[in-house]
Amino acid sequence: MTVLPIEAFAGTRLALVLGNSNYQAVPALGNPANDAADLATALRSIGFDVIEQRDGTRSAIANAVRDFSKRLSGADVALFFYAGHGLQMNGENYLVPVDAKIETPADVRFNTMNLTDIQQEMEGAGRANIIILDACRNNPFLEKLARSTRAAPTRGLGRIDATGQGSLIVYSTQPNNVALDGAGRNSPFTAALLKHIATPGIEVRQMLSRVRGDVLAATSQQQTPWDSSSLVGDVYLAAAPSPSVAASPPSMPLQPAAPSQVAAPMAAAAAQTPTAAGSPDGECERAAAPAPPFASPEQLKIANTHDYAAAIPVCEAALRANPDQPRLEFLLGLAYGGTKNYLAAQRYLTKAADAGYAPAQGKLGMYFATGRGVVEDMPRAFELFSKAAAAGQPDAISNLGAMYSNGYFVKKDEARALELYQKAIEAGNPFALAQTGLMYFYGKGTPRDYETAAQYFQQAADLNDGFSLKYLAVMQERGLLGARDPAKAAELRRRAVQVDPESQDPKVPRELDAKTVRPRRSSGVHYVRIYRYRFVGCIWAWC
């Protein structure tokens, strides 16, 4: 079955936007009403019908939700946004109206809005449902509740997962954490969202990755937006991409650099621009191109099923017609590598890398790291990874992180490794999600945190990464996320075999058990795996 993308302006697009600033019983918040007003304007500009409520009482918010619910049946895309105070209690998340007076648990139930009710109203087949929550501010109601009950809420909102098909839930920060208020008109999260939400041609999950990168930069790595997705197909909030730009886009720098630093990469990027379908260049692209940054599961699957033996003559013909093109040399190198002719692959990758083409530098770095077609040379691998990473090449950034994590050539630096993995995620490398999950799981460069590890593993699992699915299964089997759940673990393992049959089995020490181990920094040695961007499992000989 072919799943078509949900394009912008297709059918009815409905949004409910709420922002509460002027609370009556606690100090006012500076940003939420502005956040709601600005986002409502942005959504209207890209074709949404918006129900907007700022500084809403419980009655006003209930009326807005009721109106939203009545109109959902005719919508193809539904979006709910809330900015303001929110709290969690007994596993439930509550949105706080401006007139709420909260001193007891009963006040929470009767004077707020339960987020689960809104989520359940939005569930519906055949529609993309998006919930965005910038509601994790430090909560002034906590102290009173803590005095009145043992069931007092915790800081931040708790995790809720996208249920059913077609849902996406977005948090401004990681669950159980507190989001930062902005010094300007908008919060850091909403400011980043406003920057990217109307960008045409990017899928909503790709857009959120850009938002995540901006928030991390704006908050000095203190705030990490999270999401949970069960979307089917691609969803574009602004205009969908034209077919001519849907192929592999050129890699771009992570941050602006001096002209002398980007001249060569930009020249190479210009040389790699995909050409029209039916041309030799276009045939080579289809036959051998790797998945692009921010690839969907469908794009990853296509890249994983290339017939490289058939791609070699196609790309050779393209290169004869357009000699000395780094992109074509790179693709031909990939094709030869896919047939295990590493000597020929190394020859073409070297030509492209010497021309300053970052993807070729990253791939050639992998050859030197593993001794494929060349003598193993860690210093040379580190040099090539560094050059490609400086040009924003996602898998090179991730592999550079693995060198720091394992202490290959460089001094072992797990904190630096974690930073690089997170940058790789921001640049569009989905498998850095699994690597970051491992860092949190084993307490490498950060305190051990199973909940955070599961968040990263889940996002990688959403991209059909069998290794992450198996780690989630281990966590369910051993009760690392709550009660043991063998049935859920078995389902995760079945899915791993189905979507990624060649994925490796995790080798998790048996002593990691919820009854015997509290989350803490691991004292054992654990090598973080380096993956191909086209994921087919661990390719480092000694991992």
Side-chain angles (χ1 to χ4, degrees), residues 381-382 385-386 389 395-405 416-417 420:
F382 182 83
F385 285 151
S386 297
D395 45 342
I397 300 171
S398 181
N399 288 340
L400 196 60
M403 295 195 79
Y404 277 102
S405 178
R416 173 64 174 155
L420 287 164

Side-chain angles (χ1 to χ4, degrees), residues 123 150 243 247 298 338 524-525 528 536:
E123 291 176 356
R150 293 181 180 180
E298 292 81 6
V525 176
V528 175
V536 293

Side-chain angles (χ1 to χ4, degrees), residues 21-29 85 96-98 100 102 139-141 144:
S21 285
N22 295 313
Y23 285 88
Q24 298 172 12
V26 296
L29 294 171
H85 280 309
V96 183
V98 295
I102 300 175
N139 201 298
F141 300 104
K144 292 180 179 179

Side-chain angles (χ1 to χ4, degrees), residues 110-455:
F110 295 116
N111 296 341
T112 67
M113 294 294 298
N114 191 321
L115 180 60
T116 299
D117 294 337
I118 298 173
Q119 183 185 12
Q120 291 175 347
E121 285 296 316
M122 294 181 68
E123 291 176 356
R127 179 175 63 234
N129 296 301
I130 301 171
I131 296 175
I132 304 175
L133 303 169
D134 194 359
C136 306
R137 273 99 171 163
N138 199 16
N139 201 298
F141 300 104
L142 293 182
E143 185 177 349
K144 292 180 179 179
L145 283 166
R147 289 197 300 262
S148 65
T149 178
R150 293 181 180 180
T154 58
R155 66 198 301 261
L157 292 182
R159 172 179 172 174
I160 54 172
D161 290 321
T163 57
Q165 289 188 356
S167 296
L168 173 65
I169 300 174
V170 184
Y171 302 88
S172 62
T173 190
Q174 54 267 56
N176 304 309
N177 202 4
V178 173
L180 302 177
D181 288 311
R185 176 176 173 83
N186 301 113
S187 73
F189 173 78
T190 301
L193 185 63
L194 291 168
K195 177 180 175 182
H196 297 291
I197 197 167
T199 302
I202 60 171
E203 204 269 342
V204 65
R205 285 159 288 192
Q206 179 183 355
M207 183 270 291
L208 290 172
S209 293
R210 297 184 182 186
V211 169
R212 184 180 296 113
D214 285 359
V215 173
L216 283 164
T219 62
S220 300
Q221 312 295 312
Q222 296 181 58
Q223 180 176 331
T224 306
W226 285 96
D227 60 80
S228 173
S229 173
S230 64
L231 290 177
V232 177
D234 294 337
V235 178
Y236 296 91
L237 297 184
S242 63
S244 62
V245 300
S248 302
S251 298
M252 297 300 291
L254 286 173
Q255 56 188 5
S260 62
Q261 294 174 303
V262 300
M266 290 303 292
Q272 69 126 35
T273 303
T275 55
S279 69
D281 291 22
E283 294 295 334
C284 180
E285 287 283 343
R286 281 191 295 276
F294 305 103
S296 67
E298 292 81 6
Q299 290 172 310
L300 291 168
K301 183 177 180 180
I302 291 171
N304 285 343
T305 55
H306 284 318
D307 182 346
Y308 286 112
I312 289 173
V314 172
C315 291
E316 285 179 335
L319 191 57
R320 284 194 299 271
N322 299 278
D324 300 321
Q325 294 295 315
R327 173 68 176 180
L328 295 176
E329 292 167 342
F330 167 66
L331 293 177
L332 184 54
L334 291 185
Y336 273 116
T339 62
K340 302 190 186 310
N341 187 343
Y342 299 123
L343 288 174
Q346 182 263 340
R347 182 168 66 252
Y348 286 105
L349 290 173
T350 297
K351 289 184 66 177
D354 289 347
Y357 187 57
Q361 292 169 339
K363 182 60 68 175
L364 188 60
M366 183 65 69
Y367 276 43
F368 278 104
T370 57
R372 291 189 173 183
V374 295
V375 176
E376 184 178 305
D377 187 341
M378 284 296 176
R380 178 66 171 145
F382 182 83
E383 176 190 0
L384 288 164
F385 285 151
S386 297
K387 286 181 179 180
Q393 219 283 320
D395 45 342
I397 300 171
S398 181
N399 288 340
L400 196 60
M403 295 195 79
Y404 277 102
S405 178
N406 295 321
Y408 297 135
F409 174 63
V410 294
K411 182 179 179 181
K412 189 171 184 177
D413 187 340
E414 294 172 346
R416 173 64 174 155
L418 182 58
E419 177 186 354
L420 287 164
Y421 288 146
Q422 290 172 334
K423 285 186 176 181
I425 294 170
E426 297 163 28
N429 185 319
F431 305 111
L433 291 165
Q435 294 162 342
T436 304
L438 289 171
M439 300 294 279
Y440 279 97
F441 187 91
Y442 288 98
K444 295 169 66 69
T446 182
R448 175 177 283 161
D449 185 336
Y450 293 137
E451 291 288 344
T452 300
Q455 289 279 350

